[in-house]
């Protein structure tokens, strides 16, 4: 067997959809992964954008350790939704405490987005670990933003060339979104609609990013806008900008650009925030517990 064959025999890689996503077997992420295997994983990641690692038994330390191989981890700006002893891990759950209040964020990700696109240096990738999986619903979808860009008609490609857009964390600043009608302040607790504190506001000033970015590793162009955080187009009237953004979202969210993930307990899913957007599909009853923990890798200024 040649050296090349040996180099590629470690992992089993099976595509999960036409658009993006692959399942990776043959690696135990609770063990320190060798440099060679890590490079195989990274190559598969650049090719498939979303990697699913089924059946991983991970402690918080192991989740953090593997995630940190991709770069420094971000402590999520929503300080109170991170694990007290592991601030690199964001807790997404609909669990309640004795008093009936939600213990953390219960509806994170329920509008299409790229994690932390509202930061000057948005996240390059996220690693989400499935802990409690509801029997019904709770899927997550990812969309391929290279495909979104490539699908744009020539005229639209030309129109967005060099254009930039504003990204904002607080969805109360997003004219496209609003809380469900009749939601009370109490119900907003543990929800994405909860009022942001002055500290969070201070850590998340509005930022401007190119509408089309070049992935620094693959050199491919990807659309970089999303419904949740992208609010306005720079140097354009609000109406005109909104109509352009709505057009772009249509290309981004086309069914043929999407992988829908049905979670199994102990799946670890790694995705690339530079060339994908994702959506928590919801649709599970509040009595069924869904708990996920996410590590978020810091990225670079998009260009
Ligand atoms: C996230 C996210 C989606 C989900 O963790 O970044 O958006 O389905 N999660 O929980
Ligand atoms: Mn997310």
């Amino acid at each position: 067997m040649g050296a090349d064959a040996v180099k590629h025999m470690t992992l089993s890689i099976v595509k999960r959809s036409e658009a993006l996503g692959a399942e990776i077997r043959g690696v135990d992420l609770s063990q320190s992964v060798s440099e060679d295997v890590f490079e195989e994983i990274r190559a598969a990641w650049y090719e498939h954008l979303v990697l699913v690692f089924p059946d991983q038994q991970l402690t918080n330390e192991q989740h953090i350790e593997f995630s940190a191989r991709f770069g420094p981890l971000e402590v999520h700006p929503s300080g109170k939704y991170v694990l007290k002893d592991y601030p690199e891990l964001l807790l997404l759950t609909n669990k309640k405490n004795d008093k009936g209040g939600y213990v953390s964020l219960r509806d994170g990700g329920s509008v299409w987005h790229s994690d932390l696109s509202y930061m000057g240096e948005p996240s390059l990738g996220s690693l989400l670990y499935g802990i409690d999986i509801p029997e019904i619903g709770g899927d997550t979808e990812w969309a391929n933003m290279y495909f979104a860009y490539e699908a744009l008609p020539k005229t639209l490609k030309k129109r967005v060339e060099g254009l930039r857009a504003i990204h904002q964390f607080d969805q109360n600043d997003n004219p496209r979104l609003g809380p469900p009608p009749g939601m009370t302040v109490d119900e907003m607790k543990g929800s994405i609609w909860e009022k942001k504190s002055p500290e969070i506001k201070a850590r998340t000033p509005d930022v401007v990013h190119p509408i089309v970015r070049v992935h620094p590793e693959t050199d491919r162009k990807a659309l970089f806008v999303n419904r949740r955080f992208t609010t306005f187009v720079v140097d354009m009237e609000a109406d005109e900008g909104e109509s352009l953004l709505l057009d772009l979202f249509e290309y981004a969210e086309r069914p043929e650009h999407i992988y829908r993930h049905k979670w199994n307990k102990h799946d670890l899913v790694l995705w690339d925030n530079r060339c994908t957007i994702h959506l928590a599909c919801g649709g599970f009853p509040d009595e069924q517990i869904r708990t996920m923990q996410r590590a978020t890798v810091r990225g670079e200024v998009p260009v």
Side-chain angles (χ1 to χ4, degrees), residues 113 115 278 294:
H113 67 285
D115 291 334
H278 60 281
R294 187 185 95 199

Side-chain angles (χ1 to χ4, degrees), residues 172-220:
N172 294 301
D173 296 333
N174 185 334
R176 196 178 302 124
L177 302 175
M183 192 182 210
T184 65
V185 171
D186 226 35
E187 285 164 350
M188 288 184 189
K189 294 222 172 81
S191 144
I192 56 170
W193 296 107
E194 187 165 356
K195 201 165 156 38
K196 305 274 187 286
S197 69
E199 293 76 30
I200 295 177
K201 282 282 203 187
R203 228 195 116 183
T204 55
D206 302 352
V207 298
V208 166
H209 294 310
I211 287 181
V212 178
R213 70 183 292 186
V214 179
H215 192 293
E217 304 297 336
T218 64
D219 282 335
R220 294 176 68 186

Side-chain angles (χ1 to χ4, degrees), residues 92 109 113 115 128 140 271 278 280 290 294:
L92 301 175
H113 67 285
D115 291 334
L128 188 63
T140 308
W271 65 88
H278 60 281
R290 183 180 192 267
R294 187 185 95 199

Side-chain angles (χ1 to χ4, degrees), residues 104-118:
S104 197
L105 186 62
R106 71 170 189 280
D107 58 353
S110 49
V111 179
W112 281 104
H113 67 285
S114 166
D115 291 334
L116 274 51
S117 80
Y118 52 84

Side-chain angles (χ1 to χ4, degrees), residues 17 19 141-142 250-260:
S17 84
E141 289 184 335
W142 282 268
E250 295 268 321
Y251 286 93
E253 300 160 11
R254 282 186 175 179
E256 66 268 29
H257 295 164
I258 291 176
Y259 163 60
R260 186 177 183 115

Side-chain angles (χ1 to χ4, degrees), residues 116-122 160 162-169 203-213 224-226 229-236 245 300-303:
L116 274 51
S117 80
Y118 52 84
M119 305 283 277
E121 297 178 330
V160 295
L163 279 187
R164 297 179 307 153
I166 298 173
H167 293 239
Q168 296 180 281
F169 181 40
R203 228 195 116 183
T204 55
D206 302 352
V207 298
V208 166
H209 294 310
I211 287 181
V212 178
R213 70 183 292 186
F224 193 64
V225 290
N226 63 77
F229 299 127
T230 314
T231 45
F232 300 97
V233 177
V234 176
D235 291 335
M236 209 177 260
L245 288 172
E300 54 284 284
V301 176
V303 286

Side-chain angles (χ1 to χ4, degrees), residues 16 23-31 52-58 62 128-130 261 263-269:
R16 281 278 180 110
E23 173 182 313
I24 307 289
R25 293 194 184 261
V27 61
D28 176 358
L29 300 178
S30 71
Q31 307 293 314
V52 179
F53 300 89
D55 291 325
Q56 298 292 335
Q57 310 289 326
L58 298 179
Q62 290 159 349
L128 188 63
Y129 187 48
H261 183 63
W263 288 86
N264 284 309
K265 193 179 174 73
H266 296 154
D267 283 344
L268 180 77
V269 180

